[in-house]
Amino acid sequence: MTARRVVATGTFDLLHPGHLFYLEESKKLGDELFVIVARDANVKHKPHPIIPEDQRLALVAALKPVDHAMLGDMIDMFLPIEKIRPEVITIGFNQMFDAETLSLQLAKRGLTPAIVRIGKFLGDDLCSSRLVVQRIITKRGHDHHHLPGNERVP
């Protein structure tokens, strides 16, 4: 019997509880969770990532629900999915993919995974990278103690 493969994708910039919830819920849908981390150059639908792609990949790979993590393809976002051949692809609650359009695009490549949208994490108000950045600016925006050159010398 072959393992049921699930693919989750995302930018995963500034990891937060919402990311972990998305990956935990995705893992519940199969035996092996493959996570495709967006390349810096391919993130065009929101602000450029703060954390470089290699570091985002390392952080995602270290998370308990993740069995395999890889960077996306620079040109063809479907190439890793063709190699993995998952039974399920999950979409985060705030990802801009349309499930029907995605299914049609995959079908053109001979792929017919179920597309499952994972709901929003309700346990914390810091469930998006944008909200984490806003909180940092609000709490530390005028805190000069954390700027280079302001280190305390014993």
Side-chain angles (χ1 to χ4, degrees), residues 10-16 19 37-38 40 43 46-53 55-57 59-60 127-130 132-133:
T11 306
F12 302 102
D13 195 26
L14 300 175
L15 282 177
H16 53 73
H19 288 132
V37 176
D40 290 344
V43 178
K46 58 184 175 182
H48 192 76
I50 294 168
I51 307 297
E53 64 188 28
Q55 292 178 31
R56 291 185 286 114
L57 175 64
L59 290 168
V60 168
C127 61
S128 83
S129 298
R130 180 181 53 80
V132 172
V133 169

Side-chain angles (χ1 to χ4, degrees), residues 19-85:
H19 288 132
L20 187 57
F21 175 78
Y22 169 54
L23 297 174
E24 288 172 339
E25 293 300 302
S26 296
K27 174 69 178 210
K28 290 176 185 176
L29 299 174
D31 303 306
E32 280 185 285
L33 178 60
F34 292 76
V35 180
I36 301 170
V37 176
R39 295 278 192 160
D40 290 344
N42 293 346
V43 178
K44 295 179 171 53
H45 59 286
K46 58 184 175 182
H48 192 76
I50 294 168
I51 307 297
E53 64 188 28
D54 59 327
Q55 292 178 31
R56 291 185 286 114
L57 175 64
L59 290 168
V60 168
L63 296 174
K64 195 175 204 175
V66 178
D67 297 299
H68 311 277
M70 66 207 68
L71 290 171
D73 188 80
M74 290 293 287
I75 297 163
D76 183 354
M77 74 176 204
F78 294 111
L79 203 57
I81 294 169
E82 284 182 333
K83 291 176 183 172
I84 298 166
R85 304 200 71 76

Side-chain angles (χ1 to χ4, degrees), residues 4 31 33 38 44 59 62 72 77 86-87 93 103 113 120-121 125 143 150:
R4 184 171 165 89
D31 303 306
L33 178 60
K44 295 179 171 53
L59 290 168
M77 74 176 204
E87 285 75 25
F93 84 97
S103 288
K120 183 177 181 179
F121 176 65
D125 62 340
D143 185 352
N150 289 332

Side-chain angles (χ1 to χ4, degrees), residues 143-154:
D143 185 352
H144 301 290
H145 291 17
H146 297 283
L147 296 176
N150 289 332
E151 294 85 11
R152 291 184 184 177
V153 180

